[in-house]
Amino acid sequence: MIVYRVNCNQGLLYQPKNLDQVRDEMFCGRHFPETWKQIDLLPRGDAATEDDFFGLGLKALVCSEKAVTYCGQLWDEGEFLPVKIKGMKGKYFLYNITHCCSHLNPRKTRWQKDARTGERLIKSPAFYAERLGEDCVFKIPEDGATAIYALERDDVPGHEGLKTLAKRY
């Protein structure tokens, strides 16, 4: 079993008119705290319409309808909230990972100190394999539920689809 940190090459931005409705801190490993109203997003840089996953802020992903269908096991660890992307056709969803558990092994994790604040930050995480269980996608509370991690599992069909959005640790 290999743990990946999700790292999308393409990014999206919130429309200024939506900033009162959504903020990064609302995607912290729990269900969206309010009734969801579809929002409009803007592509950043050269976001390509054929991509299936996009980064949004620090804590969320946006994925295509194809990705939702292909990676069906993601339903167990999050919620799909409809969004529109300016200039892109098709259905897209903000994927809010709601599965947040302490899988981090602090002794084996490599840490670094933030030069500005002195806070201890995760440089390279290490996980307790026995705690991962049947997880597919998760966040950890030790980093404020910011990073998104995915597992490559041989025992779950369809996991090869997650390789396209992940950076190996």
Side-chain angles (χ1 to χ4, degrees), residues 2-7 150 162-169:
I2 300 171
V3 177
Y4 294 88
R5 180 170 177 180
V6 175
N7 185 17
L162 294 174
K163 291 180 187 178
T164 61
L165 68 131
K167 173 185 172 188
R168 182 177 178 170
Y169 265 93

Side-chain angles (χ1 to χ4, degrees), residues 15 22 80 99 106 146 150:
Q15 288 261 24
V22 292
F80 292 94
H99 183 67
T146 299

Side-chain angles (χ1 to χ4, degrees), residues 32-51:
F32 190 73
E34 301 168 12
T35 302
W36 180 255
K37 295 176 189 156
Q38 184 169 298
I39 60 170
D40 297 321
L41 302 172
L42 299 169
R44 185 178 68 204
D46 327 342
T49 57
E50 66 271 2
D51 287 342

Side-chain angles (χ1 to χ4, degrees), residues 38-111:
Q38 184 169 298
I39 60 170
D40 297 321
L41 302 172
L42 299 169
R44 185 178 68 204
D46 327 342
T49 57
E50 66 271 2
D51 287 342
D52 291 317
F53 290 94
F54 302 90
L56 178 64
L58 295 172
K59 298 184 175 191
L61 296 173
V62 172
C63 55
S64 68
E65 184 175 30
K66 175 181 158 189
V68 172
T69 303
Y70 186 65
C71 299
Q73 68 272 17
L74 297 178
W75 283 98
D76 293 338
E77 281 111 15
E79 58 190 354
F80 292 94
L81 308 169
V83 296
K84 287 184 182 178
I85 303 174
K86 184 176 181 178
M88 294 190 189
K89 294 183 175 156
K91 292 183 179 181
Y92 292 91
F93 301 88
L94 187 152
Y95 181 54
N96 178 29
I97 294 100
T98 57
H99 183 67
C100 187
C101 291
S102 185
H103 298 317
L104 193 72
N105 181 334
R107 283 194 180 146
K108 292 185 178 180
T109 293
R110 290 189 5 218
W111 300 88

